[in-house]
Structures are given as C-alpha cells and as structure tokens.
C-alpha cells in the first residue's frame, strides 16, 4: 500500500492522466465497471409522505 500526500487537484489530475493512458476499449470497460460499482453503492432515498394520499388544492381569489 502506498500513501500519497497531495492536493485534491493533484489527485484528480493523476486519476485523469491514468485514465487517458487507457485505450478506448479499456476506458469503456472502466466505465462499465464504475457503473456496476455505483449500482451497489448504498443510498438513502427520501420517503414521499404523500405517496399513498391525494391532495386537494383550492385556490381562492381575494377581490380587494
């Protein structure tokens, strides 16, 4: 394991350089692997409180 102390910009540049060294086919496969990993990433979804309810909206006109 290697530890590197670098800025975020340096890290992003290094990742981009390594990615661009790949052939087009390898980049495509890297993208597919990333998508597969993201599908397994745990996420929290907001629960819609009005999911099983209906809402009645009454617009009133104030003639002043």
């Amino acid at each position: 394991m290697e530890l590197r102390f670098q800025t975020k910009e340096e890290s992003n540049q290094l990742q981009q350089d390594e990615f661009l060294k790949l052939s087009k086919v390898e980049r495509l496969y890297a993208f597919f692997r990333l998508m597969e990993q993201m599908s397994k990433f745990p996420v929290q979804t907001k629960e819609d409180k009005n999911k099983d309810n209906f809402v009645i909206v009454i617009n009133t006109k104030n003639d002043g």
Side-chain angles (χ1 to χ4, degrees), residues 21-44:
K21 287 180 187 177
L22 300 174
S23 71
K24 291 181 181 182
V25 172
E26 290 173 322
R27 290 182 203 174
L28 182 61
Y29 285 131
F31 174 75
F32 289 149
R33 281 192 300 274
L34 176 63
M35 292 299 100
E36 182 180 5
Q37 291 170 355
M38 290 298 294
S39 70
K40 297 176 183 175
F41 195 80
V43 295
Q44 289 184 349

Side-chain angles (χ1 to χ4, degrees), residues 3-50:
L3 292 177
R4 294 183 187 198
F5 295 95
Q6 55 196 11
T7 64
K8 182 177 181 179
E9 291 78 19
E10 292 170 336
S11 175
N12 288 343
Q13 186 64 47
L14 181 62
Q15 287 179 23
Q16 182 178 3
D17 293 343
E18 291 296 319
F19 182 74
L20 293 176
K21 287 180 187 177
L22 300 174
S23 71
K24 291 181 181 182
V25 172
E26 290 173 322
R27 290 182 203 174
L28 182 61
Y29 285 131
F31 174 75
F32 289 149
R33 281 192 300 274
L34 176 63
M35 292 299 100
E36 182 180 5
Q37 291 170 355
M38 290 298 294
S39 70
K40 297 176 183 175
F41 195 80
V43 295
Q44 289 184 349
T45 57
K46 283 187 174 181
E47 184 177 327
D48 187 4
K49 294 179 182 178
N50 293 323

